[in-house]
Amino acid sequence: MDFALIGRIWPFFAEAAWVTIEVSMLAIILGLILGFAAALASLSRNVLLRWPARAYVSVFRGTPALIQLFLLYFGGPQIGIHLGPFEAGVIGLGINIGAYMCETIRGAILSVDKGQTEAGRCLGLGQTQVMRRVILPQAARMMVRPLGVNAIALIKGSAIVSTISVLELSYTAHRYISSTYKPFEMFILASIFYLAIVTVFSFGVKKIDERVALES
Amino acid sequence: MGLDFSILPAYADILWKGTLWTIALTVLSMFFSLAGGVVFAVLQLNRHAIIRWPVAGFAWLFMGTPLLLQLFLIYFGLVQIGLDLNAFVAGVIALSLHFAVYNSEIIRSAIVAVDKGQYEAARSLGLSQFQAMRKAIVPQAVANVTPALGNMMIALLKESALVSVIGVMELTLSAQRAISDSFRPFEFYIAAGAIYYVLNLGLEQAVRVAERRSAQYR
Amino acid sequence: MSEPIVKIRGLKKNFGSLQVLKGIDMDIDQGQIFALIGASGSGKSTLLRTINQLEEVTEGEIWFDGELVNQKLPHRQREAHLNRLRQNIGMVFQHFNLFPHLTAIENVTMAPLMLGRVNKAEAIEQAKKLLDKVGLSDRGDYYPSKLSGGQKQRVAIARSLAMNPKLMLFDEVTSALDPELVGEVNRVMKALAEEDMTMIIVTHDLRFAEDVSDHVIFMADGLVVEEGPPSLVFRAPQEDRTKSFLQQVFND
Ligand SMILES: Nc1ncnc2c1ncn2[C@@H]1O[C@H](COP(=O)(O)OP(=O)(O)OP(=O)(O)O)[C@@H](O)[C@H]1O
Ligand SMILES: [Mg+2]
């Protein structure tokens, strides 16, 4: 283990870790928005909403995130979408994780007992009112942890944006492996940052989960 | 530059070969990741901490870091210690190790979850320890792990695209080759995506069949 | 006699190929207490749930307060019609279906507030009165998970009453309760009955049915087999099926 080398270059990894955090957090936010919209659309009785939402989930869960990213970044210009690496990375990752989050959110909504909807409707509340005040508050509590799992998968999965030259952790690791021929050191260095990010993020998810957990 | 999908058939050959390599890569990695998953699971249930801990540490490291990074480590790391493997082998090793770790978590909790009473009941019927394992524990554990392992295998197929970055000529890299020749990224990534989508559908179908088959033991 | 508040004519209900209700006629006057009895699977819950359209009707008519309940309407209008209808029909379920994320008092105030019937102060005022009425004035700030089954069910009754319904439907509301908690819920229903609330009570508790109701309906296989005042149906049943049902239940 070449500690002198690690001591010299770790600041570059720290900087790259910020890029990983930025890309991931923005993608997670985008994914949550898309996932939420798609989940509600996929539960709608209107086929014009339901069908596109189902197709979105099926296509983006059914193909590699890397292909989706390449299509957006390299193929986008052919249909007039010109994005820089960072933007393409955020949008590509966000659209991808949104499809997974949609399934998580949908599952949480569907797992709320049918009796809850019936009780709400029996009081004369409309479908939207029941969804907003009865179903979603309960579903929200159930989805925190699984959405956290989705988000952590995304943080690790964000490494793929290194292939379109976003200067994040994996890109930096790759670059230093090529220039120093020290793959173990670079792997360990990058791993420390990934593990730190994932650990802190998991802790945050756990805190949020505890905060929203049913009082009982 | 508009879109022109009529260019695709001219490159059917390279895409077809890439598809076959993706299938080979995925099937081999599935096999080794499942076998590795069983090994890691058993090791993690070992009585001796000296065996449990290194495996647990390795699992923790591989579950907390990106597959891509692990791919770099294995591809370049093996070269550094003098094992100049071809990219395909390195790709299979990386995918297998990565998914073996996840599989082992699933398998381990399933083994732990199978009721002790089941085992004792089997033993009291006069079955040997091995028979008890084989007749009572394993079928139930298999039924319990099949859905989760199936999801892992479905993920593996899609993640296999990553090995294109170390130069394995599978589907994704094949599409890139076609693109560097034709300058038509959009068409070829759509084509590659469509092929992955079909492979994925097939795999999902297979997983569902496996789930149904194994569910009878539950 | 004025129009009955609930009027059911030729009601049929199929689940797929299974016919669960095979032609039900029924008239309920303002202030009447109906007890609906019958073996498991005879269609009692289904009948109750068609009245507020938790189940759609296959054939026949249901009238509530002079309005056809099961009108064919475009989706939007039907939703509005159902919401209006259900605001006037309270329903209490076997498994309470309290909203677990809201306190007892929030459970009671939610619908009146959301529907803009009252302001917040009025809603709380009213909810406190209702909780007091069901004997839970000291449990307003409790979440459902901290309440006993009997307490939950009483909160559920208060929640329904908050909409000032003209009709209350009870579907085996004491079936999920420990025996020692049944009495407290029955007392609340009894008190309501004495205030001239119109009620339909599905129950397996025949002693309570006899005690509280002024009209009993015995159902079997999706049909009304026998009906009349409790003194007659319970003491001098005419139909063999009624007799054997009563015998079975009372022998248990
Ligand atoms: N949603 C449904 N889909 C299909 N069949 C149903 C449905 N709901 C009820 N049934 C069937 O309709 C029949 C009548 O059911 P219902 O719940 O009305 O009986 P019940 O008299 O309330 O019985 P219990 O005393 O057990 O509550 C039963 O055979 C039941 O299986
Ligand atoms: Mg019932």
Side-chain angles (χ1 to χ4, degrees):
Chain A
M1 199 58 109
D2 187 344
F3 287 105
L5 175 65
I6 290 178
R8 217 161 356 101
I9 63 174
W10 75 265
F12 298 108
F13 280 76
E15 225 170 280
W18 273 117
V19 180
T20 288
I21 294 171
E22 272 172 16
V23 170
S24 301
M25 294 309 133
L26 291 173
I28 288 167
I29 292 168
L30 177 60
L32 283 171
I33 294 167
L34 288 173
F36 231 104
L40 291 180
S42 74
L43 292 168
S44 154
R45 31 172 281 120
N46 184 344
V47 287
L48 291 178
L49 293 173
R50 204 166 63 215
W51 198 83
R54 295 269 164 88
Y56 161 59
V57 170
S58 172
V59 167
F60 284 86
R61 290 178 81 225
T63 54
L66 191 65
I67 294 281
Q68 296 161 21
L69 188 66
F70 286 167
L71 179 66
L72 178 66
Y73 184 65
F74 297 114
Q78 270 175 278
I79 53 168
I81 300 173
H82 299 269
L83 296 170
F86 186 86
E87 291 79 29
V90 167
I91 294 170
L93 289 174
I95 294 177
N96 177 260
I97 204 67
Y100 289 88
M101 288 176 158
C102 170
E103 288 299 88
T104 303
I105 293 165
R106 198 178 123 85
I109 290 173
L110 288 176
S111 72
V112 175
D113 183 37
K114 195 165 127 279
Q116 292 289 309
T117 306
E118 290 191 348
R121 294 305 308 266
C122 280
L123 291 167
L125 302 178
Q127 241 158 14
T128 320
Q129 289 173 314
V130 169
M131 180 55 83
R132 216 180 62 226
R133 293 295 297 278
V134 177
I135 305 302
L136 285 181
Q138 295 181 55
R141 293 171 169 167
M142 283 186 278
M143 63 178 82
V144 173
R145 266 168 195 274
L147 282 177
V149 171
N150 290 147
I152 286 165
L154 177 110
I155 293 172
K156 290 180 277 175
S158 73
I160 64 170
V161 301
S162 63
T163 59
I164 57 168
S165 311
V166 178
L167 309 182
E168 46 69 85
L169 268 174
S170 292
Y171 182 91
T172 306
H174 190 195
R175 205 181 78 201
Y176 278 103
I177 290 172
S178 309
S179 62
T180 64
Y181 302 105
K182 297 254 194 272
F184 289 106
E185 283 81 349
M186 298 310 126
F187 174 77
I188 294 298
L189 198 44
S191 294
I192 289 169
F193 284 102
Y194 275 114
L195 288 166
I197 295 168
V198 168
T199 305
V200 170
F201 191 85
S202 309
F203 183 76
V205 170
K206 195 164 149 250
K207 283 288 145 206
I208 295 172
D209 187 56
E210 278 164 16
R211 173 83 54 95
V212 300
L214 271 190
E215 331 218 351
S216 59
Chain B
M1 191 152 114
L3 299 180
D4 178 15
F5 284 92
S6 67
I7 186 169
L8 293 177
Y11 295 86
D13 196 42
I14 187 170
L15 290 180
W16 172 241
K17 281 198 184 121
T19 305
L20 291 180
W21 278 112
T22 284
I23 293 172
L25 179 69
T26 304
V27 170
L28 280 175
S29 305
M30 279 181 182
F31 174 77
F32 288 118
S33 75
L34 289 171
V38 173
V39 172
F40 289 156
V42 171
L43 288 178
Q44 282 211 60
L45 290 169
N46 193 284
R47 265 173 307 149
H48 303 291
I50 188 99
I51 292 176
R52 272 198 326 262
W53 284 20
V55 180
F58 174 76
W60 177 72
L61 186 61
F62 261 47
M63 288 184 87
T65 54
L67 171 60
L68 191 65
L69 204 59
Q70 296 160 16
L71 207 54
F72 291 154
L73 172 73
I74 286 160
Y75 183 60
F76 298 109
L78 289 175
V79 172
Q80 203 197 20
I81 60 173
L83 274 173
D84 198 351
L85 298 175
N86 81 23
F88 182 82
V89 175
V92 170
I93 294 176
L95 281 172
S96 301
L97 275 180
H98 180 81
F99 281 94
V101 166
Y102 285 91
N103 291 345
S104 81
E105 290 294 309
I106 295 166
I107 293 166
R108 187 167 56 106
S109 46
I111 294 175
V112 172
V114 172
D115 193 8
K116 256 218 169 82
Q118 294 281 335
Y119 178 76
E120 281 160 9
R123 287 306 298 270
S124 70
L125 284 171
L127 300 182
S128 73
Q129 185 176 350
F130 176 73
Q131 282 172 323
M133 276 304 261
R134 219 185 60 145
K135 298 274 183 218
I137 311 296
V138 172
Q140 279 192 60
V142 167
N144 290 337
V145 295
T146 304
L149 289 182
N151 285 342
M152 280 299 151
M153 299 302 97
I154 288 166
L156 193 157
L157 168 63
K158 286 173 278 175
E159 297 283 320
S160 76
L162 285 192
V163 304
S164 62
V165 302
I166 58 168
V168 181
M169 262 306 261
E170 43 62 85
L171 182 52
T172 304
L173 191 55
S174 300
Q176 276 165 4
R177 285 293 148 82
I179 289 163
S180 50
D181 190 60
S182 65
F183 305 107
R184 297 223 160 250
F186 194 91
E187 290 86 341
F188 280 99
Y189 286 129
I190 290 282
I195 296 172
Y196 275 114
Y197 187 78
V198 171
L199 292 178
N200 187 61
L201 278 186
L203 183 57
E204 280 182 356
Q205 214 57 41
V207 164
R208 227 160 282 150
V209 170
E211 267 175 46
R212 260 204 307 275
R213 286 253 176 99
S214 66
Q216 57 185 315
Y217 296 112
R218 236 198 268 240
Chain C
M1 274 286 297
S2 63
E3 253 309 86
I5 185 163
V6 178
K7 194 169 87 182
I8 298 176
R9 291 292 176 269
L11 175 61
K12 290 183 183 165
K13 168 69 184 174
N14 298 355
F15 286 114
S17 59
L18 179 72
Q19 188 161 57
V20 172
L21 299 178
K22 299 175 178 167
I24 306 269
D25 297 302
M26 197 179 279
D27 286 305
I28 304 177
D29 290 325
Q30 181 80 44
Q32 269 196 307
I33 319 293
F34 267 48
L36 213 50
I37 62 171
S40 186
S42 54
K44 307 180 296 292
S45 297
T46 307
L47 172 58
L48 210 60
R49 290 161 60 86
T50 53
I51 294 173
N52 65 1
Q53 292 289 282
L54 283 181
E55 303 290 356
E56 284 188 30
V57 167
T58 307
E59 211 182 303
E61 289 180 355
I62 300 174
W63 295 81
F64 172 74
D65 210 12
E67 195 181 5
L68 184 61
V69 166
N70 56 320
Q71 337 181 7
K72 289 261 170 287
L73 290 169
H75 178 70
R76 234 167 238 278
Q77 276 163 272
R78 181 170 156 80
E79 284 290 300
H81 158 75
L82 287 183
N83 291 344
R84 202 159 21 79
L85 174 83
R86 287 167 178 164
Q87 285 165 31
N88 289 314
I89 303 179
M91 180 154 192
V92 186
F93 303 85
Q94 181 174 356
H95 294 289
F96 330 124
N97 296 346
L98 283 184
F99 306 132
H101 58 300
L102 302 177
T103 61
I105 199 157
E106 288 167 348
N107 264 279
V108 180
T109 57
M110 187 183 88
L113 279 175
M114 278 193 87
L115 295 168
R117 289 209 167 176
V118 285
N119 66 33
K120 186 141 194 196
E122 290 164 345
I124 291 174
E125 172 95 358
Q126 182 203 23
K128 281 185 171 157
K129 272 192 199 143
L130 286 169
L131 287 176
D132 190 40
K133 181 170 175 172
V134 299
L136 291 171
S137 44
D138 55 339
R139 292 290 189 271
D141 294 329
Y142 283 48
Y143 282 92
S145 56
K146 294 272 173 65
L147 298 173
S148 74
Q151 292 171 333
K152 279 186 212 169
Q153 199 57 297
R154 287 184 281 151
V155 174
I157 293 171
R159 178 176 70 176
S160 287
L161 292 176
M163 297 302 295
N164 295 315
K166 296 178 184 163
L167 169 69
M168 286 288 286
L169 309 175
F170 295 87
D171 193 359
E172 294 190 30
V173 298
T174 56
S175 290
L177 299 180
D178 293 335
E180 70 270 20
L181 301 178
V182 168
E184 62 191 54
V185 175
N186 281 349
R187 269 195 296 281
V188 169
M189 284 195 277
K190 183 99 198 218
L192 266 183
E194 276 155 16
E195 288 172 19
D196 283 339
M197 172 65 79
T198 314
M199 300 162 59
I200 308 179
I201 303 171
V202 172
T203 183
H204 286 295
D205 185 345
L206 299 190
R207 272 171 240 283
F208 178 64
E210 182 168 11
D211 180 33
V212 76
S213 70
D214 43 38
H215 192 91
V216 178
I217 293 200
F218 170 66
M219 283 181 69
D221 287 336
L223 285 170
V224 174
V225 172
E226 183 160 1
E227 61 179 311
S231 53
L232 279 180
V233 175
F234 287 116
R235 302 291 156 201
Q238 302 299 306
E239 303 288 330
D240 290 343
R241 300 177 80 172
T242 320
K243 285 177 198 160
S244 70
F245 172 75
L246 292 175
Q247 227 162 30
Q248 250 173 25
V249 175
F250 281 116
N251 283 349
D252 277 350

mmCIF file of all heavy atoms in Angstrom, chain C residues 78-100:
data_model
loop_
_atom_site.group_PDB
_atom_site.id
_atom_site.type_symbol
_atom_site.label_atom_id
_atom_site.label_comp_id
_atom_site.label_asym_id
_atom_site.label_seq_id
_atom_site.Cartn_x
_atom_site.Cartn_y
_atom_site.Cartn_z
ATOM 1 N N ARG C 78 -71.224 11.118 -11.140
ATOM 2 C CA ARG C 78 -71.467 9.996 -10.234
ATOM 3 C C ARG C 78 -70.646 10.157 -8.952
ATOM 4 O O ARG C 78 -71.143 9.929 -7.847
ATOM 5 C CB ARG C 78 -71.125 8.674 -10.924
ATOM 6 C CG ARG C 78 -71.384 7.486 -10.023
ATOM 7 C CD ARG C 78 -71.275 6.163 -10.755
ATOM 8 N NE ARG C 78 -70.977 5.098 -9.806
ATOM 9 C CZ ARG C 78 -71.867 4.510 -9.030
ATOM 10 N NH1 ARG C 78 -73.145 4.880 -9.090
ATOM 11 N NH2 ARG C 78 -71.518 3.564 -8.182
ATOM 12 N N GLU C 79 -69.408 10.570 -9.103
ATOM 13 C CA GLU C 79 -68.560 10.786 -7.927
ATOM 14 C C GLU C 79 -69.185 11.834 -7.006
ATOM 15 O O GLU C 79 -69.263 11.649 -5.797
ATOM 16 C CB GLU C 79 -67.163 11.245 -8.356
ATOM 17 C CG GLU C 79 -66.288 10.131 -8.913
ATOM 18 C CD GLU C 79 -65.858 9.129 -7.844
ATOM 19 O OE1 GLU C 79 -65.189 9.556 -6.884
ATOM 20 O OE2 GLU C 79 -66.199 7.943 -7.968
ATOM 21 N N ALA C 80 -69.637 12.939 -7.597
ATOM 22 C CA ALA C 80 -70.248 14.009 -6.799
ATOM 23 C C ALA C 80 -71.505 13.495 -6.101
ATOM 24 O O ALA C 80 -71.731 13.757 -4.911
ATOM 25 C CB ALA C 80 -70.578 15.205 -7.688
ATOM 26 N N HIS C 81 -72.291 12.731 -6.867
ATOM 27 C CA HIS C 81 -73.527 12.153 -6.329
ATOM 28 C C HIS C 81 -73.207 11.218 -5.153
ATOM 29 O O HIS C 81 -73.835 11.288 -4.092
ATOM 30 C CB HIS C 81 -74.239 11.417 -7.463
ATOM 31 C CG HIS C 81 -75.209 10.366 -7.035
ATOM 32 N ND1 HIS C 81 -76.445 10.656 -6.507
ATOM 33 C CD2 HIS C 81 -75.134 9.006 -7.059
ATOM 34 C CE1 HIS C 81 -77.080 9.524 -6.220
ATOM 35 N NE2 HIS C 81 -76.301 8.514 -6.547
ATOM 36 N N LEU C 82 -72.187 10.373 -5.331
ATOM 37 C CA LEU C 82 -71.820 9.421 -4.277
ATOM 38 C C LEU C 82 -71.319 10.148 -3.038
ATOM 39 O O LEU C 82 -71.663 9.793 -1.914
ATOM 40 C CB LEU C 82 -70.732 8.461 -4.773
ATOM 41 C CG LEU C 82 -71.169 7.383 -5.765
ATOM 42 C CD1 LEU C 82 -69.996 6.477 -6.096
ATOM 43 C CD2 LEU C 82 -72.316 6.570 -5.182
ATOM 44 N N ASN C 83 -70.490 11.159 -3.242
ATOM 45 C CA ASN C 83 -69.961 11.892 -2.097
ATOM 46 C C ASN C 83 -71.097 12.513 -1.284
ATOM 47 O O ASN C 83 -71.100 12.447 -0.057
ATOM 48 C CB ASN C 83 -68.982 12.977 -2.548
ATOM 49 C CG ASN C 83 -67.702 12.374 -3.101
ATOM 50 O OD1 ASN C 83 -67.429 11.197 -2.886
ATOM 51 N ND2 ASN C 83 -66.925 13.167 -3.819
ATOM 52 N N ARG C 84 -72.056 13.099 -2.006
ATOM 53 C CA ARG C 84 -73.188 13.731 -1.324
ATOM 54 C C ARG C 84 -73.992 12.684 -0.559
ATOM 55 O O ARG C 84 -74.312 12.840 0.611
ATOM 56 C CB ARG C 84 -74.063 14.432 -2.371
ATOM 57 C CG ARG C 84 -74.937 15.524 -1.826
ATOM 58 C CD ARG C 84 -75.376 16.520 -2.918
ATOM 59 N NE ARG C 84 -75.304 15.997 -4.274
ATOM 60 C CZ ARG C 84 -76.214 15.186 -4.823
ATOM 61 N NH1 ARG C 84 -77.257 14.794 -4.140
ATOM 62 N NH2 ARG C 84 -76.068 14.778 -6.069
ATOM 63 N N LEU C 85 -74.245 11.575 -1.251
ATOM 64 C CA LEU C 85 -75.006 10.481 -0.650
ATOM 65 C C LEU C 85 -74.322 9.966 0.613
ATOM 66 O O LEU C 85 -74.937 9.812 1.674
ATOM 67 C CB LEU C 85 -75.104 9.360 -1.676
ATOM 68 C CG LEU C 85 -75.735 8.051 -1.225
ATOM 69 C CD1 LEU C 85 -77.250 8.186 -1.317
ATOM 70 C CD2 LEU C 85 -75.260 6.891 -2.083
ATOM 71 N N ARG C 86 -73.039 9.715 0.502
ATOM 72 C CA ARG C 86 -72.325 9.081 1.613
ATOM 73 C C ARG C 86 -72.170 10.022 2.800
ATOM 74 O O ARG C 86 -71.989 9.567 3.933
ATOM 75 C CB ARG C 86 -70.955 8.598 1.141
ATOM 76 C CG ARG C 86 -71.071 7.366 0.252
ATOM 77 C CD ARG C 86 -69.785 7.087 -0.449
ATOM 78 N NE ARG C 86 -69.854 5.883 -1.273
ATOM 79 C CZ ARG C 86 -68.966 5.593 -2.218
ATOM 80 N NH1 ARG C 86 -67.976 6.424 -2.454
ATOM 81 N NH2 ARG C 86 -69.074 4.498 -2.921
ATOM 82 N N GLN C 87 -72.217 11.334 2.531
ATOM 83 C CA GLN C 87 -72.154 12.256 3.655
ATOM 84 C C GLN C 87 -73.384 12.108 4.545
ATOM 85 O O GLN C 87 -73.362 12.477 5.715
ATOM 86 C CB GLN C 87 -72.031 13.694 3.140
ATOM 87 C CG GLN C 87 -70.623 13.984 2.623
ATOM 88 C CD GLN C 87 -70.551 15.239 1.778
ATOM 89 O OE1 GLN C 87 -71.307 16.175 1.993
ATOM 90 N NE2 GLN C 87 -69.645 15.255 0.820
ATOM 91 N N ASN C 88 -74.436 11.547 3.965
ATOM 92 C CA ASN C 88 -75.663 11.378 4.748
ATOM 93 C C ASN C 88 -75.854 9.967 5.274
ATOM 94 O O ASN C 88 -76.848 9.666 5.913
ATOM 95 C CB ASN C 88 -76.872 11.762 3.884
ATOM 96 C CG ASN C 88 -76.920 13.256 3.655
ATOM 97 O OD1 ASN C 88 -76.751 14.029 4.587
ATOM 98 N ND2 ASN C 88 -77.105 13.662 2.410
ATOM 99 N N ILE C 89 -74.940 9.078 4.920
ATOM 100 C CA ILE C 89 -75.026 7.690 5.387
ATOM 101 C C ILE C 89 -73.738 7.353 6.123
ATOM 102 O O ILE C 89 -72.667 7.343 5.529
ATOM 103 C CB ILE C 89 -75.203 6.713 4.207
ATOM 104 C CG1 ILE C 89 -76.458 7.077 3.393
ATOM 105 C CG2 ILE C 89 -75.299 5.279 4.725
ATOM 106 C CD1 ILE C 89 -76.689 6.176 2.193
ATOM 107 N N GLY C 90 -73.837 7.088 7.410
ATOM 108 C CA GLY C 90 -72.647 6.703 8.156
ATOM 109 C C GLY C 90 -72.450 5.198 8.068
ATOM 110 O O GLY C 90 -73.409 4.443 7.940
ATOM 111 N N MET C 91 -71.190 4.785 8.108
ATOM 112 C CA MET C 91 -70.959 3.336 8.105
ATOM 113 C C MET C 91 -69.870 2.989 9.105
ATOM 114 O O MET C 91 -68.844 3.664 9.183
ATOM 115 C CB MET C 91 -70.553 2.846 6.720
ATOM 116 C CG MET C 91 -70.304 1.340 6.692
ATOM 117 S SD MET C 91 -70.560 0.659 5.048
ATOM 118 C CE MET C 91 -70.563 -1.087 5.379
ATOM 119 N N VAL C 92 -70.107 1.920 9.850
ATOM 120 C CA VAL C 92 -69.125 1.454 10.828
ATOM 121 C C VAL C 92 -68.776 0.016 10.467
ATOM 122 O O VAL C 92 -69.663 -0.779 10.162
ATOM 123 C CB VAL C 92 -69.686 1.538 12.262
ATOM 124 C CG1 VAL C 92 -68.608 1.196 13.274
ATOM 125 C CG2 VAL C 92 -70.240 2.935 12.536
ATOM 126 N N PHE C 93 -67.465 -0.269 10.488
ATOM 127 C CA PHE C 93 -66.981 -1.552 9.977
ATOM 128 C C PHE C 93 -66.571 -2.498 11.106
ATOM 129 O O PHE C 93 -66.231 -2.067 12.203
ATOM 130 C CB PHE C 93 -65.745 -1.334 9.096
ATOM 131 C CG PHE C 93 -65.967 -0.405 7.938
ATOM 132 C CD1 PHE C 93 -65.848 0.972 8.097
ATOM 133 C CD2 PHE C 93 -66.276 -0.909 6.683
ATOM 134 C CE1 PHE C 93 -66.042 1.826 7.031
ATOM 135 C CE2 PHE C 93 -66.465 -0.058 5.611
ATOM 136 C CZ PHE C 93 -66.352 1.307 5.781
ATOM 137 N N GLN C 94 -66.501 -3.764 10.748
ATOM 138 C CA GLN C 94 -66.042 -4.770 11.702
ATOM 139 C C GLN C 94 -64.636 -4.443 12.214
ATOM 140 O O GLN C 94 -64.353 -4.555 13.391
ATOM 141 C CB GLN C 94 -66.050 -6.139 11.018
ATOM 142 C CG GLN C 94 -65.615 -7.260 11.925
ATOM 143 C CD GLN C 94 -65.767 -8.617 11.245
ATOM 144 O OE1 GLN C 94 -66.259 -8.721 10.124
ATOM 145 N NE2 GLN C 94 -65.351 -9.657 11.928
ATOM 146 N N HIS C 95 -63.761 -4.040 11.285
ATOM 147 C CA HIS C 95 -62.367 -3.801 11.688
ATOM 148 C C HIS C 95 -62.051 -2.310 11.874
ATOM 149 O O HIS C 95 -60.925 -1.873 11.609
ATOM 150 C CB HIS C 95 -61.420 -4.456 10.702
ATOM 151 C CG HIS C 95 -61.534 -5.956 10.731
ATOM 152 N ND1 HIS C 95 -61.067 -6.698 11.787
ATOM 153 C CD2 HIS C 95 -62.112 -6.830 9.873
ATOM 154 C CE1 HIS C 95 -61.333 -7.986 11.560
ATOM 155 N NE2 HIS C 95 -61.968 -8.086 10.419
ATOM 156 N N PHE C 96 -63.020 -1.551 12.271
ATOM 157 C CA PHE C 96 -62.894 -0.143 12.678
ATOM 158 C C PHE C 96 -62.464 0.777 11.542
ATOM 159 O O PHE C 96 -63.056 1.813 11.317
ATOM 160 C CB PHE C 96 -61.916 0.036 13.858
ATOM 161 C CG PHE C 96 -61.824 -1.131 14.789
ATOM 162 C CD1 PHE C 96 -60.621 -1.750 15.067
ATOM 163 C CD2 PHE C 96 -62.973 -1.628 15.388
ATOM 164 C CE1 PHE C 96 -60.558 -2.840 15.935
ATOM 165 C CE2 PHE C 96 -62.926 -2.709 16.258
ATOM 166 C CZ PHE C 96 -61.713 -3.319 16.526
ATOM 167 N N ASN C 97 -61.339 0.433 10.874
ATOM 168 C CA ASN C 97 -60.807 1.286 9.819
ATOM 169 C C ASN C 97 -60.600 2.723 10.273
ATOM 170 O O ASN C 97 -60.838 3.665 9.526
ATOM 171 C CB ASN C 97 -61.716 1.271 8.587
ATOM 172 C CG ASN C 97 -61.791 -0.108 7.951
ATOM 173 O OD1 ASN C 97 -60.982 -0.974 8.268
ATOM 174 N ND2 ASN C 97 -62.740 -0.301 7.077
ATOM 175 N N LEU C 98 -60.156 2.881 11.491
ATOM 176 C CA LEU C 98 -59.760 4.223 11.922
ATOM 177 C C LEU C 98 -58.503 4.620 11.160
ATOM 178 O O LEU C 98 -57.733 3.769 10.728
ATOM 179 C CB LEU C 98 -59.464 4.238 13.425
ATOM 180 C CG LEU C 98 -60.675 4.242 14.352
ATOM 181 C CD1 LEU C 98 -60.217 4.363 15.802
ATOM 182 C CD2 LEU C 98 -61.638 5.370 14.013
ATOM 183 N N PHE C 99 -58.288 5.922 11.011
ATOM 184 C CA PHE C 99 -57.082 6.374 10.329
ATOM 185 C C PHE C 99 -55.931 6.371 11.338
ATOM 186 O O PHE C 99 -55.925 7.167 12.276
ATOM 187 C CB PHE C 99 -57.290 7.774 9.751
ATOM 188 C CG PHE C 99 -58.505 7.853 8.855
ATOM 189 C CD1 PHE C 99 -59.428 8.868 8.990
ATOM 190 C CD2 PHE C 99 -58.712 6.891 7.874
ATOM 191 C CE1 PHE C 99 -60.551 8.939 8.164
ATOM 192 C CE2 PHE C 99 -59.838 6.948 7.049
ATOM 193 C CZ PHE C 99 -60.758 7.975 7.196
ATOM 194 N N PRO C 100 -54.960 5.481 11.151
ATOM 195 C CA PRO C 100 -53.948 5.277 12.201
ATOM 196 C C PRO C 100 -53.002 6.460 12.366
ATOM 197 O O PRO C 100 -52.354 6.582 13.397
ATOM 198 C CB PRO C 100 -53.187 4.036 11.721
ATOM 199 C CG PRO C 100 -53.403 3.999 10.251
ATOM 200 C CD PRO C 100 -54.750 4.591 10.001
#
